Amino acid sequence: MSDAVPVFTSPSPRIRRVSVDRPWVWLGKGWDDIRRARESSLAYGVAIVAASYFVLAVLAYFESLYALLPLAAGFMLVGPLLAAGLYDTSRRLEAGEPADFATTAKALGRNPEHLAYMGLVLMVLNLFWTRMALLIFALFFGAPRHTVRELVDLTLFSPDSLPFLMVGSAVGAILATITFTVSAISIPMLLDKRDCSVWTAVATSFVAVRENWKPMLLWAALIVAFTAFGMVPFFLGLAVTLPLIGHATWHAYKDLVIDGES
């Protein structure tokens, strides 16, 4: 195929170039998967919401609510791994296999070694971002404040708010770009192909983003928008938006990656 770009010198895998509006097709297919596996999909969404409440309670207990924003941003860094069961749900629906929650919850066992390596990479990036965010806060405002009111006043209404937000956004954007580039399709690929190494999956994801940077830029923006929208109603929207993103990511992988001589 003339529109396919090889990742390595060998024919497989290859990357298909897609139109800039293709992410909307992925979202449409993701929504179809939610409808077909409603119980399983929403179970993952509810589990994420429950985990969000747990983290919020822990931060409140230790008077560390100042860490909520960097942790919320860091969630997007490790989110691709947390959605493994959703990728497997879409894979099973595509293959006509059972896609109940109990079955797909074992998704990480399909390629445990390399998925663990990928999880380690994402965790390191998340920890680095959290540390950097707290350091940037301390550089501008000193010791962290304990109340939400103080946090809002400092970060939005103080004289240092604008430079703080600019620096924090710039550092966050760099880390988010790196994370998205290496994980956009790598984890679905590791689930799909048990003999795939983490390095092959990362390289494939990198080439997919490079060769389709316009649609992937739109896809990244949609992920951020849907995640942020889900967090607004006290995290409740994540019960739907995260399964939607997870299923759509599987279809992005299947759309972008070509195997063999096809």
Side-chain angles (χ1 to χ4, degrees):
M1 294 178 61
S2 59
D3 63 342
V5 179
V7 176
F8 304 112
T9 54
S10 57
S12 179
R14 291 182 295 161
I15 299 301
R16 178 186 290 111
R17 294 191 178 102
V18 298
S19 61
V20 69
D21 60 345
R22 197 64 179 172
W24 297 109
V25 176
W26 304 336
L27 285 173
K29 292 183 177 180
W31 183 251
D32 287 341
D33 285 352
I34 290 180
R35 294 172 58 188
R36 294 171 62 193
R38 186 179 297 107
E39 293 80 6
S40 177
S41 299
L42 294 182
Y44 282 105
V46 170
I48 293 297
V49 172
S52 301
Y53 288 151
F54 175 77
V55 171
L56 184 61
V58 170
L59 292 178
Y61 179 81
F62 288 102
E63 297 184 336
S64 300
L65 288 174
Y66 58 85
L68 180 60
L69 289 179
L71 286 177
F75 169 78
M76 296 188 185
L77 303 183
V78 298
L81 186 64
L82 298 178
L86 293 165
Y87 307 149
D88 196 46
T89 299
S90 291
R91 182 189 68 82
R92 288 177 171 275
L93 289 174
E94 197 173 72
E97 300 175 358
D100 57 279
F101 180 80
T103 302
T104 58
K106 304 172 185 177
L108 294 177
R110 286 183 55 80
N111 193 351
E113 180 181 356
H114 292 287
L115 283 168
Y117 290 151
M118 194 69 214
L120 180 62
V121 171
L122 295 178
M123 186 61 67
V124 168
L125 287 170
N126 185 33
L127 291 174
F128 180 74
W129 159 243
T130 303
R131 178 63 65 180
M132 286 296 298
L134 295 177
L135 176 61
I136 292 170
F137 185 95
L139 288 174
F140 281 93
F141 305 118
R145 271 55 173 183
H146 297 315
T147 68
V148 175
R149 176 64 180 272
E150 289 175 327
L151 179 64
V152 171
D153 288 342
L154 281 174
T155 56
L156 297 181
F157 303 113
S158 72
D160 292 326
S161 294
L162 183 58
F164 164 73
L165 292 173
M166 290 176 63
V167 172
S169 298
V171 174
I174 292 171
L175 283 175
T177 300
I178 295 172
T179 303
F180 179 75
T181 301
V182 304
S183 66
I185 60 172
S186 55
I187 296 177
M189 186 172 182
L190 289 170
L191 280 172
D192 191 34
K193 307 181 183 307
R194 298 189 180 193
D195 59 345
C196 179
S197 72
V198 66
W199 310 117
T200 298
V202 167
T204 303
S205 184
F206 173 81
V207 175
V209 173
R210 184 192 68 191
E211 295 298 324
N212 294 279
W213 68 269
K214 289 182 179 180
M216 295 305 278
L217 182 62
L218 173 60
W219 180 226
L222 288 171
I223 291 174
V224 172
F226 275 90
T227 303
F229 179 78
M231 289 181 175
V232 169
F234 206 57
F235 302 109
L236 291 175
L238 295 177
V240 176
T241 59
L242 288 187
L244 176 62
I245 293 170
H247 291 309
T249 298
W250 170 263
H251 292 289
Y253 154 67
K254 297 298 287 184
D255 202 17
L256 293 170
V257 179
I258 305 171
D259 291 318
E261 300 298 330
S262 60

